[in-house]
Amino acid sequence: GDVAVLVPAAGAGVRLGPGRPKALRLLAGEPLLVHAVRRLAAAASVHTIVVAAPIAEVAAVRELLAPIAPVTVVPGGAERQESVAAALAAVPAGPDIVLVHDAARALTPPALVESVAAAVRSGHDAVIPVLPVVDTIKEVDADELVLGTVDRRALRAVQTPQGFRRSVLAAAHAAAGDALTDDAGLVEKQGVPVFCVPGSDHALKITRPFDLALAEHLLATGLR
Ligand code: C5P
C-alpha cells in the first residue's frame, strides 16, 4: 500500500445532540470510528491509518481500535484543521498519497477509498469525491430574504476521503491561514487544481439524528 489515511475524529458532535464525542457515538452497537476504520483498513492500498482523537479519549481510542487494525492515535485539536495537521505530522516516511477522511462518514465503502487513491496515483495532486446537488440552492441574507438562486448544475456536494499527493497536502497545511471546512480548500488556495470523482451515497456524513437513523437502517438492511 502507498496510502496513508488521516482520520480527524476529535469533534464534539454538537449537532447530534448531547452525548459522547461524535466519533464515539454508537451505530448498530459500535462507535462510528470503528465502522470508519474497519472500512479504511479493508481498502488494499491503505498502508497507514492515523486517527486524531479527542484529547481526553486518546488512550480509550487506542484500545478501541487495536483489535480492528494497526492504527496510530494522536490528540486532535480545537478545529478540524488542527486535528488533520496533528495526524499528518504523525505519518511515517513512505506513503506518497495521503487521504483525509472524516470519522463521521462511517459507512464509506472501501471502493471509494480506492477510487480516490487511484485518481491521485494517476497524476491528480488533489482529488475529492462529489455528488450532484439535488435541491435548488438559494443564497439568503441575514433576514432570510432570498438574494438569488444558484445554478445547481455547476454545484457539487463534497465528501471524504479527499486525496492528495503528500507534498501538496503538507505544503497547504504549512501555509494555512484561515480555518476551512475541508482540506481541498487549503490546497485550492495554493492554486493546485482539484479533480472530482464520483462520490457515494453511503459516504454520507453522520451529522444529525436523522443521519444516524438512516445509517442504522442501511446496516440493518444488509449494507456491510
Ligand atoms: O464538525 P464536522 O462535522 O465538520 O466534523 C468533521 C470531522 O472532523 C469529524 O469526524 C470530527 O470528529 C472531526 N473534527 C476533528 N477535530 C475538531 C473538529 C472536528 O477531528 N476539532
Side-chain angles (χ1 to χ4, degrees), residues 154-172:
L155 299 179
R156 301 290 181 270
V158 180
Q159 303 181 318
T160 74
Q162 301 189 344
F164 307 92
R165 187 151 313 284
R166 182 177 184 163
S167 55
V168 167
L169 184 64

Side-chain angles (χ1 to χ4, degrees), residues 8-11 15 22-23 52 77-80 83 102-104 205 207:
R15 289 166 292 182
K22 178 156 77 171
E79 302 291 336
R80 181 186 181 283
S83 297
D102 290 335
K205 184 159 78 167
T207 305

